Amino acid sequence: WSPMTTNELKAFFNEHLVPRKFYSLNGNHKNRICIEKTPDGWNVYFSDGKEKVGLLHFANESEACLRMRDEIKKLMEQVYGLTWKNSIMA
């Protein structure tokens, strides 16, 4: 396990061809999985445009990024039937 930043998460998504329509690394964006910095940590959630669904709060950036990566992985599997090797996800 190694720490992850939002910049590294963005690079990971680009490398794995994750469509931008699935996520936002800058906070709230309608119909996307979002990550945002808060005064006391980081949030990961799905935005339906009106509310933050499944809001999860993390104490640090790395934990939030790893959770968002896992959520995007699940989404890619559901939408495209794609799976990433565990070695890639480490």
Side-chain angles (χ1 to χ4, degrees), residues 9-79:
L9 185 63
K10 181 180 181 180
F12 181 87
F13 289 162
N14 287 339
E15 181 182 333
H16 291 85
L17 306 176
V18 176
R20 288 278 304 136
K21 67 182 179 181
F22 286 166
Y23 66 93
S24 170
L25 301 176
N26 304 318
N28 201 12
H29 195 293
K30 187 176 181 182
N31 296 325
R32 294 190 183 175
I33 297 174
C34 304
I35 189 169
E36 68 182 0
K37 186 165 179 30
T38 66
D40 62 342
W42 292 80
N43 289 336
V44 174
Y45 55 90
F46 178 80
S47 172
D48 73 356
K50 295 179 182 173
E51 60 183 282
K52 298 174 182 181
V53 179
L55 178 65
L56 300 170
H57 183 75
F58 298 90
N60 64 62
E61 181 180 14
S62 185
E63 288 178 16
C65 287
L66 292 170
R67 181 55 182 262
M68 184 170 182
R69 182 190 67 187
D70 290 346
E71 293 302 316
I72 292 291
K73 178 184 176 195
K74 290 179 205 172
L75 183 60
M76 291 290 284
E77 288 173 353
Q78 290 172 349
V79 174

